[in-house]
Structures are given as C-alpha cells and as structure tokens.
Amino acid sequence: MHRIQPARLGFLYPGHAAEDDFPLMGTMIEPPAEVHLVHTEFLEDAHTVEALSEMGSMSRLLQGATSLEGLGIEAVMWTSTSASFVLGLDGIRQQIDALEKQLGVPASTTAMAFARAVKAVDAKRVAIAATYPEDVALLFCQFLNHFDIDVVHHSSRGIVTAAEVGTLGKEDVIELAFQNTPREVDALLIPDTSLHSVAWLTELEEITDTTVLTANQVSFWEALRLCGKLTPQPRLGTLFEEIP
C-alpha cells in the first residue's frame, strides 16, 4: 500500500492570537504535516470593514508570501476569514490568484474553506457563532448565501480585536458554541481564526450534538485538500472523519 508523504503547508496568518492551532494540527494528523506559518502585518487590529480590507490587501498578502518562497510548500492559505469575505467574491478571487501566481502552488482563503467544508459535510442549514461585531457577522452570512447555504441563526459577540479573541479559553469557546446551536441545524460555524478551537473539537461536537466547523480547522482541511493529501483523521471533528 502506497504511504502518503507528509504534507508541506503554508499559512499566512495576520498578527498573533491563535496561530498555535496550526502546528498543533500538524502533529495531530498522520503522517504529521510540515507547517510553515508566516505572520502578516497590518495597520490596525480591528474587526471593522476598513481595517480588515487593509489587512487582506494584495500588498499585505504578497509581502507575507515572500517568506514562504523556496520552502517547498505544496499549498498556501490566507488564514483569515473576515479579511477575505469583507472583500466579496471578486476580492477573494484576487487574493487567491495573486498567491498562486507568486508561489506557484494552489491557494485558498479561510472564507472559501468554510463554503467548501459546509458542502463536504452536506450541511443544508447552519448556525453561526461569531466573535465579530454585528455588521461583520452579517457580511459572513451574505458570503455564505452566495453558495446557497441557509443560515438559520447567527450571533455576534462584538469583540473588536483579534488579540482579545485569542485570550478566550476552552470554557468561553464551549459556551459560545452551546448557546448558538439551535436543534434544527446541520452544522455550527465558528468563523474567527483568532479563536482557539482545535484542542476541543471533539468536545464541541459532543456538547452541541452537531457538526462543528471552526476557522482554523477548515483552513487546515482546505490546505490538505488543495495538495491532494486529505485523508480521514480522528480527533479533528466530523469534517476530517469521512473524506468525500
């Protein structure tokens, strides 16, 4: 039987918050993945459309991407949900095209990973537990509507900075999930890459009794999918258990 070679994955991550989720996932899968994470820069740590648009600008992405050149990565992710969906589908396509041209490997964004992951788990009706302010959370709902994903419930925690989101612990995340999972949904989406989630995916699905998709989880899944090395894995939620 052919043994799959370890994946070499690149992640562009704005600032410092929950980036340790990515090397953790690299160790949780078999075979372990080689994770290259680059912190990108921005002018302001704020969940506002203006700040997020600057954070996800071509200049910021391509500046960060230079640090991934020559490392032999097989896929690259722009690992911010909000700093891609606030730019709309055209903006996301520009981000992906620019990264693919610079690095010569498949690219995607966390927002696109969510759309694909929802389809992969065949979720028709979803709920959203967002840490963002309300206006940004609504933009995520609008983004999902492009893919005929029915958002039946959404909440907004109203946290302005990614740094603050990164301080939320296990109990905070479990409470956020539990309070925002109506009975009639097929999946709960938690869209902020600044929020730790990976160590608690199994517990999140147990407490909500549904499929849970988190930003860092779907980003890692998408990176593996892009380079053709996505295989069933335990401990990383329903999304990783059965690969369509």
Side-chain angles (χ1 to χ4, degrees):
M1 181 176 177
H2 177 67
R3 178 178 170 83
I4 188 169
Q5 294 299 307
R8 299 186 304 277
L9 310 174
F11 298 94
L12 298 174
Y13 188 95
H16 298 263
E19 67 272 21
D20 47 332
D21 269 2
F22 292 93
L24 175 59
M25 283 183 283
T27 66
M28 290 173 69
I29 66 169
E30 182 59 41
E34 184 179 308
V35 172
H36 297 276
L37 187 139
V38 173
H39 296 278
T40 61
E41 298 179 357
F42 47 82
L43 289 179
E44 182 184 9
D45 177 12
H47 285 135
T48 67
V49 172
E50 182 180 13
L52 291 167
S53 298
E54 193 279 332
M55 185 183 294
S57 64
M58 292 302 104
S59 60
R60 292 299 189 191
L61 265 63
L62 297 181
Q63 180 185 21
T66 59
S67 297
L68 293 171
E69 292 175 350
L71 296 179
I73 62 169
E74 300 168 280
V76 61
M77 292 292 301
W78 168 228
T79 316
S80 173
T81 322
S82 53
S84 54
F85 69 70
V86 297
L87 300 175
L89 285 178
D90 287 343
I92 290 172
R93 292 190 185 102
Q94 291 174 14
Q95 289 176 330
I96 291 171
D97 288 347
L99 290 174
E100 289 185 339
K101 287 176 181 176
Q102 178 157 338
L103 294 171
V105 298
S108 188
T109 76
T110 304
M112 286 303 302
F114 266 112
R116 292 193 175 107
V118 169
K119 300 296 184 181
V121 299
D122 196 29
K124 302 293 191 294
R125 294 160 61 84
V126 307
I128 295 171
T131 52
Y132 315 131
E134 175 71 4
D135 61 333
V136 177
L138 284 172
L139 288 175
F140 186 51
C141 297
Q142 292 173 22
F143 167 77
L144 294 174
N145 287 338
H146 287 294
F147 302 92
D148 297 320
I149 296 169
D150 186 9
V151 179
V152 299
H153 168 86
H154 84 274
S155 69
S156 53
R157 185 77 178 264
I159 300 176
V160 175
T161 69
E164 182 180 348
V165 173
T167 67
L168 298 180
K170 178 180 178 179
E171 291 183 3
D172 299 306
V173 177
I174 287 178
E175 182 182 8
L176 177 70
F178 182 72
Q179 290 182 345
N180 291 288
T181 310
R183 290 183 180 179
E184 69 272 18
V185 298
D186 303 312
L188 172 69
L189 280 54
I190 306 178
D192 197 340
T193 57
S194 302
L195 189 70
H196 289 94
S197 64
V198 169
W200 317 311
L201 287 168
T202 300
E203 290 169 86
L204 286 168
E205 292 198 330
E206 288 174 352
I207 198 74
T208 59
D209 195 28
T210 193
T211 297
V212 174
L213 302 175
T214 75
N216 294 341
Q217 173 206 33
V218 301
S219 299
F220 203 83
W221 174 87
E222 176 82 327
L224 289 169
R225 187 193 68 81
L226 287 174
C227 65
K229 293 185 175 178
L230 182 60
T231 58
Q233 304 285 340
R235 300 187 295 156
L236 287 173
T238 300
L239 178 63
F240 275 86
E241 288 174 2
E242 296 182 15
I243 306 303

